[in-house]
Amino acid sequence: MTAIDLSTRVPLRVTTATATFAIGIAGYLGVNLSPYMITAAQAGLGMDVLAASWLVTATLLLTAVTGLAIAPLCAGSRRRAVARFGLAIAAVGFATAALVPALIVPGLLVGGIGAGGAVAASGAALAAFRNPDRVAGFNGLANRGVITIVLAVIPLIGLAPIDVFGALALFSIVGLLVSAWLPAAPVLDPHAGAAVAEAMPIDVPPTGTVRISPARSRTVTIAGFGLLVVFALWAASEDSLWAMAGIMGAEQTGLTPEGLGLALSGATAGGLIGSVLLMIVGSRLGRALPLAVLLVTGGVLKIVEGFTTDPTAFIVVFIAWNTVYAIAFMYFVSTSAALDADGRWSGPLLAVYLVGSALTPVIGAALVGILGFEGFAVALGIASFILAVPASAIALLSTRLERAAPHEEMVR
């Protein structure tokens, strides 16, 4: 049996939200700036596109691997230390790449490692708040809002190493400055979360400490690992379409670069709208049904995209698909946060996403080469249909755990 304090989750405040969201943005910024990073690496070192692409891929993979490796520490008392250490390393690495052209390669690799600490710490911190669904919506809104501005401003300043890598260093420093506000791991035992404990069969000894069943705790552990696997596969299928969108649109519909820009901008706006909707809805609909509907709808839209031949229709379907994708992503985050108040699953979840994100250009190109665009879209759609089953089952478990908490608090 494991002793747990049930009074663990905290309300979302300006300070804690600022720290959690800012550190998360700093850790994920490299993913969003990857096209600019490729251009900056070419300009700084005279690399060709392929070599620069592999350098950026290696940077993102190091972020993902570091985040996965260090995530367990973020479920304990070392969360703030991990965030600070990671952000400091990221700031040094990216600043070196920005200021010393000869050291761009090691600078980016070191920066990628440091960003992994920021990703894991911010992901784990998301689980510390009450109402994970609404918090996931706020997180999505902050992330996409800031990224939209950054993506628009940096090209106006320039795409030299000092501009792109300097922005990565700057955001790491900002995260470091607000890291003192990052919510600490709230429960006493780093191997069991409050949300898990609150839903377990309990006994109440004279001390008032609640104890949970090891068998039920194992069920949640299995669900957590299952969620990571499902999310990794789903993220890979989604980002494969994102990576191939420009090529698919151009060859299938004659989509122009301007049209592609409109599609990408609209997709970002759709994500912002989805974030606001989730903030409003919160946990009223649960998680299982919305997540199942979103994954099935996303699968249908991916298949439709593969058979669309009109450029305008291609843009509309692409924006609709990405809006659905953004909301589903946030439901995955809220599900992982609800499973454990310490962030045992939300910490590695965001790092898992980066693994697929870094490899999807290669995966997408390989699938298109084997299946063609239509077969590629159908395969991605079927993947969403299949993954909807385990995803909704785990989401249902997380909702039941969270809704059982008030009853357990009364018993205590």
Side-chain angles (χ1 to χ4, degrees):
M1 299 289 187
T2 305
I4 300 292
D5 180 4
L6 293 182
S7 56
T8 57
R9 295 184 188 265
V10 298
L12 189 67
R13 304 296 188 200
V14 173
T15 51
T16 52
T18 298
T20 303
F21 300 160
I23 292 172
I25 290 170
Y28 252 62
L29 190 59
V31 178
N32 296 281
L33 293 187
S34 55
Y36 298 163
M37 291 173 67
I38 292 172
T39 301
Q42 287 182 271
L45 293 176
M47 289 180 166
D48 59 26
V49 175
L50 181 60
S53 298
W54 275 112
L55 174 58
V56 173
T57 295
T59 301
L60 299 181
L61 282 176
L62 283 173
T63 299
V65 172
T66 303
L68 286 172
I70 209 167
L73 292 179
C74 297
S77 60
R78 300 183 180 90
R79 179 182 301 161
R80 288 176 183 163
V82 169
R84 288 166 177 164
F85 190 63
L87 289 164
I89 292 175
V92 171
F94 291 134
T96 300
L99 299 172
V100 187
L103 297 179
I104 284 179
V105 173
L108 288 183
L109 298 180
V110 169
I113 292 172
V119 167
S122 64
L126 290 172
F129 300 106
R130 298 170 191 167
N131 200 330
D133 302 280
R134 186 162 286 129
V135 171
F138 274 107
N139 181 59
L141 181 65
N143 189 292
R144 284 181 173 261
V146 172
I147 294 302
T148 299
I149 295 172
V150 172
L151 289 175
V153 170
I154 287 184
L156 300 178
I157 300 173
L159 296 179
I162 186 64
D163 305 310
V164 179
F165 306 144
L168 292 167
L170 178 60
F171 272 84
S172 297
I173 293 171
V174 171
L176 188 59
L177 292 175
V178 300
S179 60
W181 296 334
L182 190 71
V187 305
L188 300 179
D189 185 342
H191 299 294
V196 174
E198 289 163 355
M200 301 304 160
I202 62 172
D203 58 60
V204 184
T207 61
T209 301
V210 176
R211 300 183 183 278
I212 67 173
S213 162
R216 293 293 298 276
S217 182
R218 284 195 296 271
T219 299
V220 177
T221 298
I222 293 171
F225 279 114
L227 182 67
L228 295 182
V229 173
V230 169
F231 185 66
L233 295 173
W234 175 79
S237 73
E238 298 293 303
D239 276 10
S240 292
L241 180 57
W242 179 273
M244 293 294 104
I247 300 173
M248 182 186 295
E251 296 194 14
Q252 280 190 179
T253 70
L255 187 69
T256 63
E258 292 76 15
L260 178 61
L262 178 61
L264 296 178
S265 299
T268 301
L272 290 172
I273 293 171
S275 300
V276 173
L277 290 176
L278 186 55
M279 288 162 53
I280 295 172
V281 172
S283 58
R284 296 172 191 171
L285 302 177
R287 298 186 189 95
L289 181 59
L291 193 53
V293 171
L294 288 166
L295 263 60
V296 171
T297 303
V300 171
L301 289 171
K302 284 188 283 189
I303 293 174
V304 171
E305 191 79 322
F307 290 84
T308 300
T309 56
D310 177 74
T312 301
F314 185 93
I315 293 172
V316 171
V317 174
F318 185 84
I319 293 173
W321 160 72
N322 200 260
T323 302
V324 170
Y325 152 79
I327 302 174
F329 184 101
M330 288 179 278
Y331 268 111
F332 271 111
V333 172
S334 66
T335 297
S336 68
L339 282 176
D340 190 308
D342 266 351
R344 185 182 176 193
W345 305 113
S346 60
L349 187 87
L350 298 182
V352 161
Y353 173 82
L354 287 177
V355 175
S357 181
L359 296 175
T360 45
V362 178
I363 296 172
L367 289 175
V368 168
I370 297 172
L371 303 174
F373 289 123
E374 293 181 356
F376 168 68
V378 170
L380 297 184
I382 292 174
S384 290
F385 301 153
I386 294 173
L387 294 173
V389 177
S392 59
I394 297 169
L396 179 61
L397 173 64
S398 75
T399 301
R400 287 178 174 174
L401 295 176
E402 191 177 18
R403 288 179 176 174
H407 171 71
E408 305 297 349
E409 291 279 6
M410 291 175 63
V411 172
R412 184 172 184 261

